[in-house]
Amino acid sequence: ICTGRFCSEECKTKGCPDLIYGHTCSQIRFCYAEDSGSDVWKMPDEVALANCDFSNAEQICTESEGADEDCCNFQVEEDAMLDLYLFASKNGCENSQKAAILVDDYDSVG
C-alpha cells in the first residue's frame, strides 16, 4: 500500500502495480520525510534488488534530499537506455521499499 503524498487513490487503497511505466525526457521523483531513514539507490540488476545487495548500487538520493519541496529526481534523458530501472532504499529494502520502472521512448508513449 502506498502512503506517500503523490500516491494515487488506487495505490493508497488497493496497492500499486509491480511495474511502473516511464519514458525518456522525464524525471523519476522520489519523495519522503527527512526523518524516515529512506534514501534511494539505483540497483545494478534484479538479483541485487531481490537480495537487497547494495555493493554495486549507485546512490541517487540521500536521506535528506527526498524531503525537499521538489523531492529528489532521477533525470531520464532523451538518449537514455530504454530499459528497466531498479531502485531501492537501503534502510527499507528488506520491507519492500523498492521500485521497478520500465523506461520507453517518449515518442512512443508521450
Side-chain angles (χ1 to χ4, degrees):
I1 301 293
C2 184
T3 59
R5 59 183 165 171
F6 294 103
C7 299
S8 69
E9 190 59 36
E10 181 177 350
C11 286
K12 286 180 182 179
T13 57
K14 298 179 183 177
C16 295
D18 292 334
L19 191 60
I20 301 166
Y21 296 93
H23 56 77
T24 56
C25 301
S26 68
Q27 294 181 354
I28 300 170
R29 179 167 282 183
F30 299 96
C31 303
Y32 44 87
E34 188 169 354
D35 63 354
S36 69
S38 293
D39 56 7
V40 179
W41 295 74
K42 184 173 178 281
M43 306 302 282
D45 54 47
E46 291 181 56
V47 173
L49 182 69
N51 294 321
C52 296
D53 176 3
F54 290 82
S55 58
N56 292 312
E58 173 189 355
Q59 188 170 26
I60 303 300
C61 309
T62 65
E63 290 182 16
S64 62
E65 290 173 319
D68 290 344
E69 186 174 305
D70 66 343
C71 304
C72 179
N73 298 290
F74 177 78
Q75 185 70 38
V76 182
E77 301 292 345
E78 180 180 10
D79 60 350
M81 289 191 52
L82 306 181
D83 204 355
L84 183 64
Y85 289 75
L86 306 169
F87 299 94
S89 170
K90 192 177 266 191
N91 293 329
C93 189
E94 295 293 336
N95 294 319
S96 298
Q97 199 171 1
K98 307 173 185 181
I101 302 168
L102 184 60
V103 171
D104 201 351
D105 186 52
Y106 176 80
D107 291 333
S108 299
V109 298

